[in-house]
Amino acid sequence: EDGDDADADPAPDGPARANSGGGGGGGGGAVAPTAPAAALNRLKFARQARVLAALHVLQQTCNHPAALPAKRWPDPQFATGALDASSPEFGPQAANSGKMARLLELLDEILAPPREKVLIFTQYLGTLNLIADLVEASFAKVCARRFYGK
């Protein structure tokens, strides 16, 4: 499990309600939506979930392309050559991501004598593992500790 929650469908806030309106008696209480309205609500919710999933993918890609889970890459049979996950441009080297390159520059300054302690937060497990690997490869005397939970 990569730990990315982009596939998880968030639970709706509750059943949709429609106001019966109509100026007559009966109190004007809430009633369940009609079948077409309920279907429209489901479609709207599904569209919102897809948009949020796409934003998660973009966020992971901006962290580093190598941190993007394999299931998020375009299918190789349909992808153009520019989006091949096995291309060297998408490898786990820090130079393939401006954010990672800058992070290592900052760590170089921070870990120079007098050495400071560093705590790095990330939302994605793939990014966490990539950062830890890059830090340990770049700084021989540093052991990256990973803390995560579900």
Side-chain angles (χ1 to χ4, degrees), residues 2 60-61 63-70 73 85 89-93 96-97 100 126-127 130 134:
D2 182 47
Q60 287 175 297
T61 305
N63 288 337
H64 195 294
L68 192 62
W73 283 90
E89 302 88 35
F90 301 126
Q93 298 79 18
N96 291 337
S97 166
M100 290 295 174
T127 302
L130 182 63
L134 287 171

Side-chain angles (χ1 to χ4, degrees), residues 16 22 43 57 76-77 95 126 148-149:
L43 287 174
V57 168
Q77 104 184 38
Y148 56 92

Side-chain angles (χ1 to χ4, degrees), residues 5-6 8 10 45-58 124:
D5 292 332
F45 178 76
R47 184 176 57 243
Q48 290 171 343
R50 285 194 309 274
V51 168
L52 288 175
L55 289 174
H56 277 285
V57 168
L58 290 172
Y124 302 103

Side-chain angles (χ1 to χ4, degrees), residues 104-126:
L104 292 181
E105 289 173 6
L106 290 171
L107 288 175
D108 195 37
E109 294 173 23
I110 293 168
L111 297 175
R115 181 175 258 180
E116 299 288 332
K117 294 179 181 174
V118 179
L119 185 60
I120 301 171
F121 290 91
T122 181
Q123 185 175 357
Y124 302 103
L125 188 56

Side-chain angles (χ1 to χ4, degrees), residues 3-91:
D4 89 297
D5 292 332
D7 279 342
D9 289 331
D13 292 334
R17 300 281 182 192
N19 188 350
S20 64
V31 296
T34 62
L40 184 61
N41 285 341
R42 282 192 300 276
L43 287 174
K44 181 179 176 185
F45 178 76
R47 184 176 57 243
Q48 290 171 343
R50 285 194 309 274
V51 168
L52 288 175
L55 289 174
H56 277 285
V57 168
L58 290 172
Q59 190 175 27
Q60 287 175 297
T61 305
C62 288
N63 288 337
H64 195 294
L68 192 62
K71 66 184 176 185
R72 293 290 178 202
W73 283 90
D75 187 338
Q77 104 184 38
F78 300 112
T80 64
L83 290 176
D84 182 7
S86 63
S87 294
E89 302 88 35
F90 301 126

